[in-house]
Amino acid sequence: MSVLAIVALTVGVWGQRLAGGFLVGPLLERRPTLARAAGLIPAAVVMAVIVQLTVANGKSLVFDERLAGVAVAGLLVWRRAPFIVVVLSAAVTTALLRAL
Amino acid sequence: MSTEPAVAPAPRLSLADFATMAITFFSLGVTLQVVLIDNGTSAMRAFVASSVIFSATSQFAYLAVIDAGGGEWAAILAGVIVATRFGILAVSLTPRLPDGTLRRVAASLNAFDPNVAIAVQQPTADGVEREFWRTTAGMYLGWFIGIGVGTFLGDVLGDTQRLGLDAVFPAALLAIIGNLLRTADGRVAGIAGGLLCLVLLPFAPAGLPIILSLGGVAIAILLSKEPES
């Protein structure tokens, strides 16, 4: 991780909270569709990161033990399991399959 | 805009919740450090990076793009875009806080998923602020112990792949957006965004699949039957 990345991400991450709380928030109050769109950004973008972390190896798609672990996590999230159970189950599933 | 559950009983942070929060951020911190150092970042720099950025999502998104051979700025852009989540959390948190610019700025700057989720369920502004900071304290405690352990004891853990640590973060993210995926719009946005990324991954320049997954939002809005909410 480069120094440039550390500085840029720090500014980007903390700055967006200020922008959200003090600029974007008041702006969105008068624009319901835009507000709805903003609320949906995490679903789309975070899901993209999940996909990348789960099935990508560089630029190729790899379906391996990670996918099984994340699938178990998905099932547990759907069943409203506690966070820590979700995370540990994903790791244990992946680790066990690799140990086979 | 505001997330007002109004009549719902306001859950206050119990000791068990506090511990869960700390353990959660502890495990994220350890994982992130081990992965960062595995990726060739020096231990000290990894520690500084996670201390000041304090966003595992952004750091993982950045690493994923670099891993795929993407450029520095594409990776940074991906890291910043996934952090829009925090901005949106601040949108719902800030108006619920007690008056006073300084305390609002301080709280907004620390908006994360769990602390905002717990805080906005409080009926009064003072309650919002109190539960917010109590949750935040648990997160900070877990995070800094976690990145400390990950940085300086990561070697003891050995091969992170063997332990399945590479599945920890996608699983954690899934849990974080779980409630959003329960809504009809959120589900469409999530599935569309995920599919866009999946299809683009092998072809598009690294970083672009995450950025273009924003198209999932447009698809969700277009497909939604609700006229105007």
Side-chain angles (χ1 to χ4, degrees), chain B residues 5 15 71 91-92 103 108 113 121 134-135 140 144 153 156 171 174 187 191 193 200 213 224:
Chain B
L15 194 62
V91 169
S92 51
R103 52 212 292 207
S108 299
D113 311 85
Q121 294 181 60
R134 283 167 41 151
T135 322
Y140 267 88
F144 279 96
L153 300 174
V156 182
L174 211 47
R187 203 155 37 233
I191 292 171
L200 290 168
S213 70
S224 127

Side-chain angles (χ1 to χ4, degrees), chain B residues 172-204:
Chain B
L173 285 177
L174 211 47
I176 285 171
I177 59 167
N179 281 332
L180 193 49
L181 295 178
R182 264 177 232 288
T183 66
D185 282 354
R187 203 155 37 233
V188 175
I191 292 171
L195 281 178
L196 275 171
C197 178
L198 187 67
V199 169
L200 290 168
L201 250 170
F203 313 104

Side-chain angles (χ1 to χ4, degrees), chain B residues 73-101:
Chain B
W73 284 106
I76 290 171
L77 188 58
V80 170
I81 284 186
V82 296
T84 45
R85 191 175 99 240
F86 298 133
I88 293 158
L89 288 164
V91 169
S92 51
L93 174 72
T94 313
R96 303 286 316 279
L97 292 162
D99 288 330
T101 309

Side-chain angles (χ1 to χ4, degrees), chain B residues 30-121:
Chain B
V30 173
T31 313
L32 177 61
Q33 288 320 96
V34 170
V35 173
L36 272 174
I37 293 168
D38 264 5
N39 270 269
T41 306
S42 76
M44 217 45 233
R45 182 178 289 190
F47 186 80
V48 171
S50 301
S51 302
V52 299
I53 302 172
F54 200 159
S55 164
T57 325
S58 297
Q59 290 170 268
F60 269 109
Y62 169 88
L63 287 177
V65 174
I66 293 287
D67 232 30
E72 192 67 16
W73 284 106
I76 290 171
L77 188 58
V80 170
I81 284 186
V82 296
T84 45
R85 191 175 99 240
F86 298 133
I88 293 158
L89 288 164
V91 169
S92 51
L93 174 72
T94 313
R96 303 286 316 279
L97 292 162
D99 288 330
T101 309
L102 220 63
R103 52 212 292 207
R104 285 189 163 200
V105 168
S108 299
L109 278 174
N110 287 286
F112 281 91
D113 311 85
N115 58 6
V116 172
I118 289 175
V120 295
Q121 294 181 60

